[in-house]
Coordinates of all heavy atoms in Angstrom, one line a residue:
G157 N 0.1 10.3 -20.5 CA 0.2 11.8 -20.6 C 0.8 12.2 -21.9 O 0.9 13.4 -22.2
Y158 N 1.0 11.2 -22.8 CA 1.5 11.6 -24.2 C 0.5 12.5 -24.9 O 0.9 13.4 -25.6 CB 1.7 10.3 -25.0 CG 2.4 10.4 -26.3 CD1 3.8 10.2 -26.4 CD2 1.7 10.8 -27.4 CE1 4.4 10.3 -27.6 CE2 2.3 10.9 -28.7 CZ 3.7 10.6 -28.7 OH 4.3 10.7 -30.0
A159 N -0.8 12.3 -24.6 CA -1.8 13.1 -25.1 C -2.8 13.4 -23.9 O -3.0 12.4 -23.1 CB -2.6 12.5 -26.3
V160 N -3.3 14.5 -23.8 CA -4.3 14.9 -22.8 C -5.4 15.7 -23.4 O -5.2 16.5 -24.3 CB -3.7 15.6 -21.6 CG1 -2.8 14.7 -20.8 CG2 -3.0 16.8 -22.0
T161 N -6.6 15.6 -22.8 CA -7.7 16.5 -23.2 C -8.7 16.5 -22.0 O -8.4 15.8 -21.0 CB -8.4 16.1 -24.5 OG1 -9.3 17.1 -24.9 CG2 -9.2 14.8 -24.3
A162 N -9.7 17.3 -22.1 CA -10.7 17.4 -21.0 C -12.1 17.5 -21.6 O -12.2 18.0 -22.7 CB -10.4 18.6 -20.1
G163 N -13.1 17.1 -20.9 CA -14.5 17.2 -21.3 C -15.4 16.9 -20.2 O -15.1 16.6 -19.1
H164 N -16.7 16.9 -20.6 CA -17.8 16.6 -19.7 C -18.2 15.2 -19.8 O -19.2 14.9 -20.5 CB -19.0 17.6 -19.9 CG -18.6 19.0 -19.9 ND1 -18.1 19.6 -18.8 CD2 -18.6 19.9 -20.9 CE1 -17.8 20.9 -19.1 NE2 -18.1 21.1 -20.4
F165 N -17.5 14.3 -19.2 CA -17.8 12.8 -19.4 C -18.7 12.2 -18.3 O -19.5 11.4 -18.6 CB -16.5 12.1 -19.4 CG -15.6 12.4 -20.5 CD1 -14.6 13.3 -20.5 CD2 -15.8 11.8 -21.8 CE1 -13.8 13.6 -21.6 CE2 -15.1 12.1 -22.9 CZ -14.0 13.0 -22.8
S166 N -18.6 12.6 -17.1 CA -19.4 12.1 -16.0 C -20.8 12.8 -15.9 O -21.8 12.2 -15.7 CB -18.7 12.1 -14.7 OG -18.2 13.4 -14.4
Q167 N -20.8 14.1 -16.1 CA -22.0 14.9 -16.2 C -21.7 16.2 -16.8 O -20.6 16.7 -16.9 CB -22.6 15.1 -14.8 CG -21.6 15.6 -13.7 CD -22.3 15.7 -12.4 OE1 -23.5 15.9 -12.2 NE2 -21.5 15.4 -11.3
P168 N -22.8 16.9 -17.4 CA -22.5 18.1 -18.1 C -21.9 19.3 -17.3 O -21.3 20.2 -17.9 CB -23.9 18.5 -18.6 CG -24.7 17.3 -18.6 CD -24.2 16.5 -17.4
T169 N -22.0 19.2 -16.0 CA -21.5 20.4 -15.2 C -20.1 20.2 -14.6 O -19.6 21.0 -13.9 CB -22.5 20.7 -14.1 OG1 -22.7 19.5 -13.3 CG2 -23.8 21.1 -14.6
T170 N -19.5 19.0 -14.9 CA -18.2 18.8 -14.4 C -17.2 18.6 -15.5 O -17.6 18.1 -16.6 CB -18.1 17.6 -13.4 OG1 -18.5 16.4 -14.2 CG2 -19.1 17.7 -12.2
T171 N -15.9 18.9 -15.2 CA -14.9 18.7 -16.2 C -14.0 17.5 -15.8 O -13.4 17.5 -14.7 CB -14.0 19.9 -16.4 OG1 -14.9 21.0 -16.8 CG2 -12.9 19.7 -17.5
D172 N -13.9 16.5 -16.7 CA -13.0 15.4 -16.4 C -11.8 15.4 -17.3 O -11.8 16.0 -18.4 CB -13.9 14.1 -16.6 CG -15.1 14.1 -15.7 OD1 -15.0 14.2 -14.5 OD2 -16.2 14.0 -16.3
I173 N -10.8 14.6 -17.0 CA -9.5 14.6 -17.6 C -9.3 13.3 -18.4 O -9.6 12.2 -17.8 CB -8.4 14.9 -16.6 CG1 -8.7 16.0 -15.7 CG2 -7.1 15.1 -17.3 CD1 -9.0 17.3 -16.3
V174 N -8.7 13.4 -19.6 CA -8.4 12.2 -20.4 C -6.9 12.1 -20.6 O -6.3 13.2 -20.9 CB -9.1 12.2 -21.7 CG1 -8.9 10.8 -22.4 CG2 -10.6 12.5 -21.6
G175 N -6.3 11.0 -20.4 CA -4.9 10.8 -20.6 C -4.6 9.6 -21.5 O -5.2 8.5 -21.2
G176 N -3.8 9.7 -22.5 CA -3.4 8.6 -23.4 C -2.1 8.0 -22.9 O -1.2 8.7 -22.5
A177 N -2.0 6.7 -23.0 CA -0.8 6.0 -22.7 C -0.5 5.0 -23.8 O -0.8 3.8 -23.8 CB -0.9 5.2 -21.4
P178 N 0.1 5.5 -24.9 CA 0.2 4.8 -26.2 C 1.1 3.6 -26.2 O 1.1 2.7 -27.1 CB 0.7 5.8 -27.2 CG 1.4 6.8 -26.4 CD 0.6 6.9 -25.1
Q179 N 1.9 3.4 -25.1 CA 2.8 2.3 -25.0 C 2.3 1.3 -24.0 O 3.0 0.2 -23.7 CB 4.2 2.7 -24.7 CG 4.9 3.5 -25.8 CD 5.6 2.5 -26.8 OE1 4.9 1.6 -27.3 NE2 6.8 2.8 -27.1
D180 N 1.2 1.5 -23.3 CA 0.8 0.7 -22.2 C 0.4 -0.7 -22.7 O -0.5 -0.9 -23.6 CB -0.5 1.3 -21.5 CG -0.8 0.7 -20.2 OD1 -0.4 -0.4 -19.9 OD2 -1.3 1.4 -19.3
G181 N 1.1 -1.7 -22.2 CA 0.9 -3.1 -22.7 C 1.3 -3.4 -24.1 O 0.9 -4.4 -24.7
G182 N 1.9 -2.4 -24.8 CA 2.3 -2.5 -26.2 C 1.1 -2.2 -27.1 O 1.4 -1.8 -28.3
I183 N -0.1 -2.2 -26.6 CA -1.3 -1.9 -27.5 C -1.8 -0.5 -27.2 O -2.6 0.0 -28.1 CB -2.4 -2.9 -27.3 CG1 -2.8 -3.0 -25.8 CG2 -2.0 -4.3 -27.8 CD1 -4.0 -3.9 -25.5
G184 N -1.4 0.1 -26.1 CA -1.9 1.5 -25.8 C -3.2 1.5 -25.0 O -4.1 0.6 -25.2
K185 N -3.4 2.4 -24.1 CA -4.6 2.6 -23.3 C -5.0 4.1 -23.2 O -4.1 4.9 -23.3 CB -4.5 2.0 -22.0 CG -4.4 0.4 -22.0 CD -4.3 -0.1 -20.6 CE -4.2 -1.7 -20.6 NZ -4.2 -2.2 -19.3
V186 N -6.2 4.3 -22.9 CA -6.7 5.6 -22.6 C -7.5 5.6 -21.3 O -8.3 4.6 -21.1 CB -7.6 6.1 -23.7 CG1 -8.4 7.4 -23.3 CG2 -6.8 6.4 -25.0
Y187 N -7.3 6.6 -20.4 CA -8.0 6.7 -19.2 C -8.7 8.0 -19.0 O -8.2 9.0 -19.5 CB -7.0 6.6 -18.0 CG -6.1 5.3 -18.0 CD1 -4.9 5.3 -18.6 CD2 -6.6 4.2 -17.3 CE1 -4.1 4.1 -18.5 CE2 -5.8 3.0 -17.3 CZ -4.6 3.0 -17.9 OH -3.8 1.9 -17.8
I188 N -9.9 7.9 -18.4 CA -10.6 9.2 -18.0 C -10.6 9.2 -16.5 O -10.9 8.3 -15.8 CB -12.1 9.2 -18.6 CG1 -12.0 9.1 -20.1 CG2 -12.8 10.5 -18.1 CD1 -13.4 9.1 -20.7
F189 N -10.3 10.4 -16.0 CA -10.2 10.7 -14.6 C -11.2 11.8 -14.2 O -11.3 12.8 -14.9 CB -8.8 11.1 -14.1 CG -7.7 10.1 -14.6 CD1 -7.0 10.4 -15.7 CD2 -7.5 8.9 -13.9 CE1 -6.0 9.6 -16.1 CE2 -6.5 8.1 -14.3 CZ -5.7 8.4 -15.4
R190 N -11.8 11.7 -13.0 CA -12.5 12.8 -12.4 C -11.6 13.4 -11.3 O -10.7 12.7 -10.7 CB -13.8 12.4 -11.8 CG -13.8 11.4 -10.6 CD -15.2 11.2 -10.0 NE -15.1 10.2 -9.0 CZ -14.8 10.4 -7.7 NH1 -14.5 11.7 -7.3 NH2 -14.8 9.5 -6.8
T191 N -11.8 14.6 -11.0 CA -11.0 15.2 -9.9 C -11.7 15.1 -8.6 O -12.9 15.3 -8.5 CB -10.8 16.7 -10.2 OG1 -12.0 17.4 -10.4 CG2 -9.9 16.9 -11.4
D192 N -11.0 14.7 -7.5 CA -11.6 14.6 -6.2 C -11.0 15.7 -5.3 O -9.8 15.6 -4.9 CB -11.2 13.2 -5.6 CG -11.9 13.0 -4.2 OD1 -13.1 12.7 -4.2 OD2 -11.2 13.1 -3.2
R193 N -11.8 16.7 -5.0 CA -11.3 17.9 -4.3 C -10.8 17.5 -2.9 O -9.8 18.1 -2.4 CB -12.4 18.9 -4.2 CG -12.0 20.2 -3.4 CD -13.1 21.2 -3.4 NE -13.2 21.8 -4.7 CZ -12.5 22.9 -5.1 NH1 -11.7 23.4 -4.3 NH2 -12.7 23.4 -6.3
R194 N -11.5 16.6 -2.3 CA -11.1 16.2 -0.9 C -9.7 15.7 -0.8 O -8.9 16.0 0.1 CB -12.2 15.3 -0.3 CG -11.9 14.9 1.1 CD -13.0 14.1 1.7 NE -14.3 14.8 1.7 CZ -15.5 14.3 2.0 NH1 -15.5 13.0 2.5 NH2 -16.6 15.0 2.0
S195 N -9.4 14.8 -1.7 CA -8.1 14.1 -1.6 C -7.0 14.7 -2.5 O -5.8 14.4 -2.4 CB -8.2 12.6 -2.0 OG -8.6 12.5 -3.3
G196 N -7.5 15.6 -3.4 CA -6.5 16.2 -4.4 C -6.0 15.2 -5.4 O -4.9 15.3 -6.0
S197 N -6.8 14.1 -5.6 CA -6.4 13.0 -6.5 C -7.3 13.0 -7.8 O -8.4 13.5 -7.8 CB -6.5 11.7 -5.8 OG -5.7 11.6 -4.7
L198 N -6.7 12.3 -8.8 CA -7.4 12.0 -10.0 C -7.9 10.6 -9.9 O -7.1 9.7 -9.6 CB -6.5 12.2 -11.2 CG -6.0 13.6 -11.5 CD1 -5.0 13.6 -12.7 CD2 -7.2 14.5 -11.8
I199 N -9.2 10.4 -10.0 CA -9.8 9.1 -9.8 C -10.3 8.5 -11.2 O -11.0 9.2 -11.9 CB -11.1 9.2 -8.9 CG1 -10.7 9.9 -7.6 CG2 -11.6 7.8 -8.6 CD1 -9.7 9.3 -6.8
K200 N -9.8 7.3 -11.5 CA -10.2 6.7 -12.8 C -11.6 6.3 -12.8 O -12.2 5.7 -11.9 CB -9.3 5.5 -13.0 CG -9.5 4.8 -14.4 CD -8.7 3.5 -14.5 CE -9.2 2.4 -13.6 NZ -8.5 1.1 -13.9
I201 N -12.3 6.7 -13.9 CA -13.7 6.4 -14.1 C -14.0 5.6 -15.4 O -15.0 5.0 -15.6 CB -14.6 7.6 -14.1 CG1 -14.3 8.6 -15.2 CG2 -14.6 8.3 -12.7 CD1 -15.2 9.7 -15.4
F202 N -12.9 5.5 -16.3 CA -13.1 4.8 -17.5 C -11.7 4.5 -18.1 O -10.8 5.2 -17.9 CB -13.9 5.6 -18.5 CG -14.0 5.0 -19.9 CD1 -14.9 4.1 -20.2 CD2 -13.1 5.4 -20.9 CE1 -15.0 3.5 -21.5 CE2 -13.1 4.9 -22.2 CZ -14.1 3.9 -22.5
Q203 N -11.6 3.3 -18.8 CA -10.4 3.0 -19.5 C -10.8 2.2 -20.8 O -11.8 1.5 -20.8 CB -9.4 2.3 -18.7 CG -9.6 0.8 -18.5 CD -8.5 0.1 -17.7 OE1 -8.1 0.6 -16.6 NE2 -8.0 -0.9 -18.3
A204 N -10.0 2.4 -21.8 CA -10.1 1.6 -23.0 C -8.8 1.2 -23.5 O -7.8 1.9 -23.3 CB -10.9 2.4 -24.1

């Protein structure tokens, strides 16, 4: 959550969330999440 942004990653009509974790594993990671209305959760769909 050090950095966050949002965009249309899974499809043009939905908004997905990106979170940066610059200390993860010492090398840093980035995750993209979609929102799941039924569970109220953020579901990971990509990481780098």
Side-chain angles (χ1 to χ4, degrees):
Y158 190 97
V160 293
T161 191
H164 306 296
F165 293 99
S166 53
Q167 51 186 325
T169 56
T170 61
T171 300
D172 306 300
I173 313 303
V174 190
Q179 291 277 49
D180 197 332
I183 57 175
K185 291 184 180 178
V186 167
Y187 300 94
I188 300 178
F189 307 100
R190 66 174 175 83
T191 55
D192 184 78
R193 178 178 288 272
R194 182 173 299 178
S195 66
S197 297
L198 297 174
I199 309 299
K200 182 181 72 173
I201 60 173
F202 174 82
Q203 77 175 54

